[in-house]
Amino acid sequence: MKWRPKPPPVKQLTRAQYSGWNCCWCGTPLTKGARSAGRAPGNSGAHDLSVEVYECGPRCPQRPRRPSQQGDIP
């Protein structure tokens, strides 16, 4: 199974990121090549505000990197 970072919570997103217009990590406008970053969790009381968010790609400079494995440390 491939590791994927969890998207930021809804409360940390701008309106454009929440609406799927900008990358959820760096805020760059998504014009082409966008892909799903997963579902950003959020709620307000009993109301579920979770939403599908998008990223500009796996090479996004703000995208969290995979944590190092225990065996990777010399």
Side-chain angles (χ1 to χ4, degrees):
M1 184 169 171
K2 271 182 119 172
W3 180 85
R4 288 190 68 177
K6 292 183 181 177
V10 165
K11 292 181 180 181
Q12 294 178 4
L13 300 175
T14 65
R15 169 79 168 125
Q17 290 169 319
Y18 184 86
S19 297
W21 302 331
N22 290 2
C23 174
C24 70
W25 306 116
C26 66
T28 301
L30 299 172
T31 55
K32 60 181 178 180
R35 65 183 207 164
S36 173
R39 193 160 176 84
N43 63 7
S44 179
H47 303 283
D48 182 13
L49 302 177
S50 300
V51 66
E52 184 78 16
V53 292
Y54 299 89
E55 62 186 2
C56 53
R59 299 194 187 275
C60 176
Q62 300 295 319
R63 186 177 192 255
R65 301 295 174 224
R66 181 183 194 140
S68 62
Q69 299 291 331
Q70 191 80 8
D72 292 347
I73 302 170

